[in-house]
Amino acid sequence: MRAVIVAIGVAFLVSLFCTPIAIKVFTRLKAGQPIRAEGPAMHQGKKGTPTMGGVVFILATVIAYVAGHLALTTLPDAQIAQVEPTITALVLLGLMVFSGAVGFIDDFLKVRKRHSGGLNKRGKLAGQIVVGAIFGIVALYFPSSMTDVSGNATNTETVGSTMLSFIRDIPALEIGKVGAVIVIILVVMAATNGVNLTDGLDGLATGASVMVLAAYALIAFWQYRHWCADPNYTEAYCYSVRDPLEIALIAGAAAGACVGFLWWNTSPARIFMGDTGALGLGGLIAGMAMSTRTILLLPIIGGLFVIITMSVVIQIISFRTTGKRVFRMSPLQHHFELAGWSEVNIVVRFWIIAGIGVAIALGLFYSEFLAAVS
Protein backbone atom coordinates (compact mmCIF):
# COMPACT_ATOMS: atom_id res chain seq x y z
CA MET A 1 0.00 0.00 0.00
CA ARG A 2 2.89 2.34 0.78
CA ALA A 3 4.23 2.10 -2.75
CA VAL A 4 0.84 2.92 -4.25
CA ILE A 5 0.43 5.96 -1.98
CA VAL A 6 3.94 7.17 -2.86
CA ALA A 7 3.19 6.80 -6.58
CA ILE A 8 -0.08 8.72 -6.25
CA GLY A 9 1.59 11.54 -4.31
CA VAL A 10 4.56 11.85 -6.65
CA ALA A 11 2.35 11.82 -9.75
CA PHE A 12 0.07 14.48 -8.28
CA LEU A 13 2.93 16.81 -7.33
CA VAL A 14 4.82 16.37 -10.62
CA SER A 15 1.66 17.06 -12.62
CA LEU A 16 0.55 19.95 -10.42
CA PHE A 17 3.86 21.83 -10.57
CA CYS A 18 4.94 20.88 -14.10
CA THR A 19 1.68 21.81 -15.83
CA PRO A 20 2.28 25.60 -15.42
CA ILE A 21 5.70 25.08 -17.00
CA ALA A 22 4.06 23.25 -19.90
CA ILE A 23 1.56 26.09 -20.26
CA LYS A 24 4.40 28.60 -20.65
CA VAL A 25 6.37 26.38 -23.03
CA PHE A 26 3.44 25.54 -25.30
CA THR A 27 2.32 29.19 -25.28
CA ARG A 28 5.77 30.30 -26.45
CA LEU A 29 5.73 27.61 -29.11
CA LYS A 30 2.30 28.89 -30.16
CA ALA A 31 0.88 25.41 -29.69
CA GLY A 32 -2.67 26.68 -29.30
CA GLN A 33 -5.76 24.54 -29.77
CA PRO A 34 -7.57 25.23 -33.08
CA ILE A 35 -11.36 25.31 -32.64
CA ARG A 36 -13.75 23.74 -35.13
CA ALA A 37 -15.79 26.36 -36.97
CA GLU A 38 -18.85 24.08 -36.86
CA GLY A 39 -18.57 23.63 -33.09
CA PRO A 40 -20.56 25.57 -30.46
CA ALA A 41 -20.06 29.32 -30.87
CA MET A 42 -19.06 29.74 -27.21
CA HIS A 43 -15.97 27.60 -27.84
CA GLN A 44 -14.41 30.22 -30.08
CA GLY A 45 -13.26 32.03 -26.94
CA LYS A 46 -11.02 29.03 -26.16
CA LYS A 47 -9.04 29.43 -29.36
CA GLY A 48 -5.32 29.58 -28.69
CA THR A 49 -5.42 27.79 -25.33
CA PRO A 50 -2.28 25.60 -25.14
CA THR A 51 -2.88 21.97 -26.04
CA MET A 52 -0.89 18.71 -25.77
CA GLY A 53 -1.06 18.93 -21.97
CA GLY A 54 -1.40 15.17 -21.83
CA VAL A 55 2.40 15.05 -22.13
CA VAL A 56 2.57 16.26 -18.53
CA PHE A 57 0.45 13.60 -16.85
CA ILE A 58 1.86 10.82 -19.02
CA LEU A 59 5.37 11.82 -17.95
CA ALA A 60 4.19 12.20 -14.33
CA THR A 61 2.77 8.67 -14.39
CA VAL A 62 6.06 7.20 -15.61
CA ILE A 63 8.08 9.14 -13.00
CA ALA A 64 5.66 8.08 -10.26
CA TYR A 65 5.98 4.44 -11.32
CA VAL A 66 9.74 4.65 -10.75
CA ALA A 67 9.20 6.35 -7.38
CA GLY A 68 6.71 3.67 -6.38
CA HIS A 69 9.28 0.98 -7.13
CA LEU A 70 11.87 2.76 -5.03
CA ALA A 71 9.36 2.70 -2.18
CA LEU A 72 8.85 -1.05 -2.70
CA THR A 73 12.49 -1.72 -1.88
CA THR A 74 11.88 -0.53 1.70
CA LEU A 75 9.15 -3.10 2.36
CA PRO A 76 9.72 -6.33 4.32
CA ASP A 77 10.97 -9.25 2.20
CA ALA A 78 7.60 -11.01 2.36
CA GLN A 79 5.98 -8.15 0.47
CA ILE A 80 8.49 -7.33 -2.28
CA ALA A 81 7.64 -9.99 -4.85
CA GLN A 82 7.19 -7.26 -7.46
CA VAL A 83 10.18 -5.00 -6.80
CA GLU A 84 11.65 -5.57 -10.26
CA PRO A 85 9.88 -3.89 -13.23
CA THR A 86 7.57 -6.32 -14.97
CA ILE A 87 6.08 -7.05 -18.38
CA THR A 88 2.80 -5.79 -16.91
CA ALA A 89 4.32 -2.34 -16.43
CA LEU A 90 5.79 -2.44 -19.93
CA VAL A 91 2.37 -3.21 -21.42
CA LEU A 92 0.39 -0.67 -19.38
CA LEU A 93 2.86 2.20 -19.65
CA GLY A 94 3.54 1.26 -23.27
CA LEU A 95 -0.14 1.49 -24.13
CA MET A 96 -0.32 4.88 -22.43
CA VAL A 97 2.86 6.33 -23.94
CA PHE A 98 2.44 5.05 -27.50
CA SER A 99 -1.30 5.74 -27.70
CA GLY A 100 -0.39 9.22 -26.46
CA ALA A 101 2.25 9.40 -29.21
CA VAL A 102 -0.44 8.81 -31.84
CA GLY A 103 -2.43 11.64 -30.26
CA PHE A 104 0.67 13.84 -30.16
CA ILE A 105 1.11 13.47 -33.91
CA ASP A 106 -2.53 14.49 -34.35
CA ASP A 107 -2.12 17.52 -32.07
CA PHE A 108 1.14 18.54 -33.75
CA LEU A 109 -0.47 18.49 -37.19
CA LYS A 110 -3.40 20.56 -35.90
CA VAL A 111 -1.08 23.17 -34.46
CA ARG A 112 1.16 23.22 -37.53
CA LYS A 113 -1.77 23.56 -39.94
CA ARG A 114 -3.62 25.97 -37.63
CA HIS A 115 -6.67 23.85 -38.32
CA SER A 116 -8.78 21.45 -36.24
CA GLY A 117 -8.18 18.67 -38.75
CA GLY A 118 -4.99 16.86 -37.74
CA LEU A 119 -4.12 13.26 -38.45
CA ASN A 120 -6.75 11.80 -40.78
CA LYS A 121 -9.12 9.12 -39.53
CA ARG A 122 -7.33 6.31 -41.31
CA GLY A 123 -3.97 7.37 -39.92
CA LYS A 124 -5.29 7.60 -36.38
CA LEU A 125 -7.07 4.26 -36.71
CA ALA A 126 -3.92 2.62 -38.10
CA GLY A 127 -1.91 3.97 -35.18
CA GLN A 128 -4.39 2.58 -32.66
CA ILE A 129 -4.37 -0.83 -34.36
CA VAL A 130 -0.57 -1.01 -34.41
CA VAL A 131 -0.24 -0.01 -30.75
CA GLY A 132 -2.98 -2.43 -29.69
CA ALA A 133 -1.48 -5.29 -31.72
CA ILE A 134 2.08 -4.83 -30.46
CA PHE A 135 1.21 -4.66 -26.79
CA GLY A 136 -1.55 -7.25 -27.17
CA ILE A 137 1.04 -9.73 -28.44
CA VAL A 138 3.42 -8.85 -25.59
CA ALA A 139 0.57 -9.26 -23.11
CA LEU A 140 -0.21 -12.77 -24.31
CA TYR A 141 3.20 -14.29 -25.04
CA PHE A 142 5.25 -13.45 -21.94
CA PRO A 143 4.11 -15.41 -18.87
CA SER A 144 5.32 -14.58 -15.40
CA SER A 145 8.25 -16.58 -14.02
CA MET A 146 7.68 -15.98 -10.31
CA THR A 147 8.89 -18.85 -8.11
CA ASP A 148 8.76 -19.65 -4.42
CA VAL A 149 11.76 -20.29 -2.16
CA SER A 150 11.91 -23.88 -3.40
CA GLY A 151 12.14 -22.80 -7.02
CA ASN A 152 8.61 -23.93 -7.89
CA ALA A 153 6.55 -21.74 -10.21
CA THR A 154 3.95 -19.77 -8.27
CA ASN A 155 2.61 -17.62 -11.10
CA THR A 156 2.74 -18.34 -14.81
CA GLU A 157 0.03 -15.90 -15.82
CA THR A 158 0.31 -13.55 -18.79
CA VAL A 159 -0.82 -9.93 -18.65
CA GLY A 160 -3.71 -10.68 -20.98
CA SER A 161 -5.91 -13.74 -21.17
CA THR A 162 -7.11 -16.03 -23.93
CA MET A 163 -10.57 -15.95 -22.35
CA LEU A 164 -13.08 -13.14 -22.27
CA SER A 165 -13.60 -11.82 -18.78
CA PHE A 166 -16.19 -9.99 -16.74
CA ILE A 167 -14.95 -9.95 -13.15
CA ARG A 168 -12.77 -13.00 -13.72
CA ASP A 169 -11.91 -15.05 -16.78
CA ILE A 170 -14.89 -16.92 -18.20
CA PRO A 171 -13.66 -20.44 -19.16
CA ALA A 172 -16.59 -20.97 -21.51
CA LEU A 173 -15.46 -17.95 -23.56
CA GLU A 174 -12.03 -19.23 -24.65
CA ILE A 175 -11.01 -17.38 -27.83
CA GLY A 176 -7.33 -18.33 -28.27
CA LYS A 177 -4.33 -16.03 -28.54
CA VAL A 178 -5.15 -14.64 -31.98
CA GLY A 179 -8.72 -13.91 -30.93
CA ALA A 180 -7.47 -12.33 -27.72
CA VAL A 181 -5.11 -10.00 -29.59
CA ILE A 182 -8.01 -8.92 -31.82
CA VAL A 183 -10.15 -8.25 -28.74
CA ILE A 184 -7.35 -6.19 -27.18
CA ILE A 185 -7.04 -4.12 -30.36
CA LEU A 186 -10.80 -3.49 -30.34
CA VAL A 187 -10.74 -2.53 -26.65
CA VAL A 188 -7.85 -0.11 -27.25
CA MET A 189 -9.70 1.46 -30.18
CA ALA A 190 -12.94 1.75 -28.20
CA ALA A 191 -11.33 3.20 -25.07
CA THR A 192 -9.09 5.70 -26.85
CA ASN A 193 -11.92 6.99 -29.03
CA GLY A 194 -14.32 7.03 -26.08
CA VAL A 195 -12.06 9.25 -23.98
CA ASN A 196 -11.25 11.39 -27.02
CA LEU A 197 -14.92 12.05 -27.76
CA THR A 198 -15.55 12.88 -24.10
CA ASP A 199 -12.75 15.45 -24.14
CA GLY A 200 -14.68 18.50 -25.30
CA LEU A 201 -15.40 20.55 -22.19
CA ASP A 202 -12.98 21.85 -19.58
CA GLY A 203 -12.14 19.08 -17.13
CA LEU A 204 -14.78 16.62 -18.35
CA ALA A 205 -12.57 13.80 -19.63
CA THR A 206 -9.93 14.43 -16.96
CA GLY A 207 -12.36 14.14 -14.06
CA ALA A 208 -14.10 11.09 -15.50
CA SER A 209 -10.74 9.40 -16.09
CA VAL A 210 -9.73 10.05 -12.47
CA MET A 211 -12.78 8.09 -11.29
CA VAL A 212 -12.19 5.19 -13.68
CA LEU A 213 -8.48 4.92 -12.87
CA ALA A 214 -9.12 5.18 -9.13
CA ALA A 215 -11.61 2.32 -9.45
CA TYR A 216 -9.05 0.19 -11.26
CA ALA A 217 -6.50 0.98 -8.55
CA LEU A 218 -8.97 -0.34 -5.96
CA ILE A 219 -9.78 -3.43 -8.03
CA ALA A 220 -6.12 -4.25 -8.63
CA PHE A 221 -5.13 -3.72 -5.00
CA TRP A 222 -8.01 -5.95 -3.88
CA GLN A 223 -6.75 -8.59 -6.31
CA TYR A 224 -3.26 -8.19 -4.84
CA ARG A 225 -4.61 -8.79 -1.33
CA HIS A 226 -6.38 -11.94 -2.60
CA TRP A 227 -3.81 -13.09 -5.13
CA CYS A 228 -3.43 -16.75 -6.08
CA ALA A 229 0.35 -16.30 -6.47
CA ASP A 230 0.72 -15.16 -2.85
CA PRO A 231 2.04 -18.16 -0.86
CA ASN A 232 0.31 -16.78 2.22
CA TYR A 233 -3.07 -16.80 0.51
CA THR A 234 -4.49 -20.16 -0.52
CA GLU A 235 -8.26 -19.64 -0.52
CA ALA A 236 -10.31 -20.89 -3.46
CA TYR A 237 -11.65 -17.43 -4.29
CA CYS A 238 -8.29 -15.82 -5.10
CA TYR A 239 -7.65 -13.92 -8.34
CA SER A 240 -5.54 -15.41 -11.14
CA VAL A 241 -3.91 -12.30 -12.59
CA ARG A 242 -0.36 -11.20 -13.20
CA ASP A 243 1.33 -8.49 -11.09
CA PRO A 244 -1.75 -6.87 -9.49
CA LEU A 245 0.38 -4.56 -7.34
CA GLU A 246 1.96 -3.17 -10.50
CA ILE A 247 -1.49 -2.53 -11.92
CA ALA A 248 -2.66 -0.76 -8.75
CA LEU A 249 0.50 1.33 -8.63
CA ILE A 250 0.18 2.50 -12.24
CA ALA A 251 -3.57 3.13 -12.01
CA GLY A 252 -3.09 5.13 -8.81
CA ALA A 253 -0.21 7.09 -10.32
CA ALA A 254 -2.24 7.97 -13.43
CA ALA A 255 -5.23 9.02 -11.30
CA GLY A 256 -2.99 11.22 -9.14
CA ALA A 257 -1.39 12.76 -12.22
CA CYS A 258 -4.81 13.56 -13.67
CA VAL A 259 -5.90 15.24 -10.43
CA GLY A 260 -2.82 17.47 -10.55
CA PHE A 261 -3.56 18.30 -14.19
CA LEU A 262 -7.23 18.96 -13.39
CA TRP A 263 -6.16 21.88 -11.17
CA TRP A 264 -5.22 23.73 -14.37
CA ASN A 265 -7.62 22.01 -16.76
CA THR A 266 -10.86 22.77 -14.94
CA SER A 267 -13.07 25.62 -16.20
CA PRO A 268 -11.76 27.96 -17.45
CA ALA A 269 -9.01 25.67 -18.69
CA ARG A 270 -5.51 27.11 -18.98
CA ILE A 271 -4.38 24.06 -20.93
CA PHE A 272 -6.05 21.19 -22.79
CA MET A 273 -4.92 17.56 -22.68
CA GLY A 274 -5.40 17.31 -26.43
CA ASP A 275 -5.46 14.02 -28.29
CA THR A 276 -2.10 13.33 -26.65
CA GLY A 277 -3.77 12.99 -23.27
CA ALA A 278 -7.10 11.56 -24.42
CA LEU A 279 -5.58 8.72 -26.44
CA GLY A 280 -2.95 8.10 -23.75
CA LEU A 281 -5.61 7.74 -21.05
CA GLY A 282 -7.77 5.59 -23.31
CA GLY A 283 -4.86 3.24 -24.01
CA LEU A 284 -4.10 2.91 -20.31
CA ILE A 285 -7.75 2.29 -19.38
CA ALA A 286 -7.91 -0.44 -22.04
CA GLY A 287 -4.80 -1.97 -20.52
CA MET A 288 -6.35 -1.86 -17.06
CA ALA A 289 -9.40 -3.79 -18.25
CA MET A 290 -7.20 -6.38 -19.93
CA SER A 291 -4.74 -6.87 -17.06
CA THR A 292 -7.36 -7.04 -14.28
CA ARG A 293 -9.42 -9.50 -16.35
CA THR A 294 -12.47 -7.20 -16.38
CA ILE A 295 -12.88 -6.51 -20.10
CA LEU A 296 -16.68 -6.91 -20.14
CA LEU A 297 -16.92 -4.78 -16.97
CA LEU A 298 -15.25 -1.86 -18.77
CA PRO A 299 -18.46 -0.61 -20.48
CA ILE A 300 -19.96 -0.18 -17.00
CA ILE A 301 -16.94 1.26 -15.22
CA GLY A 302 -16.46 3.63 -18.16
CA GLY A 303 -20.17 4.17 -18.64
CA LEU A 304 -19.88 7.88 -19.44
CA PHE A 305 -17.45 7.18 -22.29
CA VAL A 306 -19.89 4.60 -23.68
CA ILE A 307 -22.87 6.98 -23.50
CA ILE A 308 -20.99 9.78 -25.25
CA THR A 309 -19.64 7.44 -27.93
CA MET A 310 -23.11 6.02 -28.57
CA SER A 311 -24.49 9.55 -28.99
CA VAL A 312 -22.09 10.03 -31.92
CA VAL A 313 -22.98 6.63 -33.42
CA ILE A 314 -26.72 7.33 -33.10
CA GLN A 315 -26.31 10.77 -34.67
CA ILE A 316 -24.37 9.41 -37.66
CA ILE A 317 -26.77 6.50 -38.28
CA SER A 318 -29.83 8.72 -37.97
CA PHE A 319 -28.49 11.39 -40.31
CA ARG A 320 -27.30 8.93 -42.95
CA THR A 321 -30.53 6.90 -42.96
CA THR A 322 -33.19 9.57 -42.42
CA GLY A 323 -31.41 12.87 -43.01
CA LYS A 324 -32.43 13.98 -39.51
CA ARG A 325 -30.38 14.55 -36.36
CA VAL A 326 -31.39 13.10 -32.99
CA PHE A 327 -29.24 15.59 -31.07
CA ARG A 328 -28.62 19.28 -31.69
CA MET A 329 -24.94 18.36 -31.94
CA SER A 330 -22.80 15.39 -31.03
CA PRO A 331 -20.96 14.33 -28.92
CA LEU A 332 -23.69 14.55 -26.29
CA GLN A 333 -22.10 17.29 -24.17
CA HIS A 334 -22.46 19.74 -27.06
CA HIS A 335 -26.17 18.94 -27.34
CA PHE A 336 -26.68 20.23 -23.80
CA GLU A 337 -24.51 23.28 -24.50
CA LEU A 338 -26.83 24.24 -27.36
CA ALA A 339 -29.80 23.52 -25.08
CA GLY A 340 -28.60 26.32 -22.79
CA TRP A 341 -26.80 24.42 -20.03
CA SER A 342 -23.66 26.08 -18.71
CA GLU A 343 -20.36 24.30 -19.26
CA VAL A 344 -19.78 23.80 -15.54
CA ASN A 345 -23.25 22.28 -15.05
CA ILE A 346 -22.69 19.82 -17.88
CA VAL A 347 -19.26 18.79 -16.57
CA VAL A 348 -20.44 18.25 -12.98
CA ARG A 349 -23.57 16.35 -14.02
CA PHE A 350 -21.59 14.17 -16.40
CA TRP A 351 -19.09 13.52 -13.61
CA ILE A 352 -22.02 12.29 -11.54
CA ILE A 353 -22.98 9.91 -14.34
CA ALA A 354 -19.38 8.69 -14.52
CA GLY A 355 -19.39 8.18 -10.75
CA ILE A 356 -22.59 6.15 -10.92
CA GLY A 357 -21.06 3.84 -13.53
CA VAL A 358 -17.95 3.39 -11.39
CA ALA A 359 -20.03 2.72 -8.27
CA ILE A 360 -22.15 0.09 -10.05
CA ALA A 361 -19.02 -1.62 -11.43
CA LEU A 362 -17.31 -1.71 -8.03
CA GLY A 363 -20.52 -3.04 -6.50
CA LEU A 364 -20.66 -5.86 -9.05
CA PHE A 365 -16.98 -6.64 -8.49
CA TYR A 366 -17.34 -6.86 -4.71
CA SER A 367 -20.65 -8.74 -4.84
CA GLU A 368 -18.98 -11.42 -6.96
CA PHE A 369 -16.32 -11.76 -4.28
CA LEU A 370 -18.94 -12.09 -1.55
CA ALA A 371 -20.78 -14.70 -3.61
CA ALA A 372 -17.55 -16.65 -4.13
CA VAL A 373 -16.78 -16.55 -0.41
CA SER A 374 -20.23 -17.71 0.62
Side-chain angles (χ1 to χ4, degrees):
M1 188 65 177
R2 184 192 308 174
V4 177
I5 293 174
V6 168
I8 293 171
V10 169
F12 170 74
L13 293 174
V14 170
S15 188
L16 180 66
F17 291 110
C18 288
T19 301
I21 298 173
I23 293 172
K24 292 180 181 179
V25 170
F26 289 137
T27 299
R28 289 176 183 174
L29 294 174
K30 298 182 179 180
Q33 174 69 49
I35 304 297
R36 290 187 307 162
E38 63 272 18
M42 60 283 286
H43 283 208
Q44 295 305 315
K46 300 181 180 184
K47 187 176 182 179
T49 302
T51 187
M52 295 188 279
V55 170
V56 178
F57 58 72
I58 291 174
L59 180 62
T61 301
V62 175
I63 292 172
Y65 170 75
V66 175
H69 267 266
L70 292 176
L72 275 175
T73 61
T74 66
L75 294 176
D77 289 344
Q79 301 180 46
I80 60 173
Q82 295 176 295
V83 169
E84 297 298 326
T86 64
I87 291 293
T88 301
L90 172 66
V91 170
L92 295 179
L93 293 177
L95 282 169
M96 187 181 199
V97 171
F98 285 94
S99 293
V102 175
F104 183 85
I105 295 171
D106 188 31
D107 287 332
F108 177 79
L109 292 176
K110 289 177 183 177
V111 170
R112 186 175 181 180
K113 296 176 181 178
R114 304 296 177 188
H115 189 270
S116 59
L119 188 64
N120 61 47
K121 293 180 180 179
R122 289 184 179 180
K124 189 181 293 186
L125 185 63
Q128 293 167 345
I129 291 173
V130 170
V131 171
I134 291 173
F135 290 101
I137 291 170
V138 174
L140 287 161
Y141 286 86
F142 291 87
S144 175
S145 57
M146 286 181 59
T147 58
D148 58 23
V149 292
S150 301
N152 299 315
T154 59
N155 183 20
T156 57
E157 296 288 341
T158 53
V159 181
S161 173
T162 57
M163 292 176 269
L164 292 181
S165 56
F166 181 55
I167 294 173
R168 301 172 189 266
D169 283 336
I170 305 172
L173 298 181
E174 172 73 43
I175 55 177
K177 288 187 176 181
V178 174
V181 171
I182 293 173
V183 168
I184 291 170
I185 292 172
L186 293 175
V187 173
V188 169
M189 291 169 58
T192 51
N193 286 304
V195 178
N196 197 24
L197 290 171
T198 303
D199 181 35
L201 301 182
D202 296 351
L204 177 56
T206 309
S209 296
V210 168
M211 297 182 206
V212 172
L213 290 167
Y216 274 119
L218 290 172
I219 287 172
F221 192 76
W222 185 264
Q223 291 176 332
Y224 173 64
R225 299 296 294 176
H226 304 83
W227 190 23
C228 294
D230 186 345
N232 299 315
Y233 195 90
T234 57
E235 299 293 341
Y237 48 84
C238 61
Y239 295 92
S240 297
V241 296
R242 173 171 179 169
D243 310 319
L245 185 58
E246 288 278 82
I247 303 169
L249 193 154
I250 294 171
C258 285
V259 172
F261 181 76
L262 185 60
W263 182 274
W264 307 100
N265 180 237
T266 192
S267 184
R270 292 185 57 188
I271 188 170
F272 299 141
M273 70 167 69
D275 280 19
T276 305
L279 269 61
L281 287 174
L284 179 59
I285 289 170
M288 289 292 157
M290 170 186 62
S291 58
T292 57
R293 312 292 170 87
T294 55
I295 283 181
L296 298 180
L297 188 65
L298 178 58
I300 301 175
I301 206 168
L304 178 64
F305 303 139
V306 174
I307 292 170
I308 288 177
T309 301
M310 288 308 301
S311 73
V312 175
V313 173
I314 292 169
Q315 187 86 324
I316 292 173
I317 292 175
S318 176
F319 187 75
R320 289 184 177 178
T321 56
T322 68
K324 297 180 180 179
R325 293 179 172 86
V326 176
F327 307 104
R328 290 181 171 91
M329 183 179 291
S330 66
L332 188 62
Q333 60 268 32
H334 299 320
H335 167 83
F336 289 105
E337 278 191 289
L338 297 182
W341 290 24
S342 71
E343 182 170 358
V344 173
N345 277 342
I346 297 170
V347 170
V348 172
R349 288 168 181 170
F350 276 37
W351 280 354
I352 292 172
I353 294 171
I356 291 171
V358 166
I360 292 172
L362 289 176
L364 290 171
F365 180 85
Y366 187 61
S367 64
E368 190 274 345
F369 174 80
L370 292 179
V373 172
S374 61

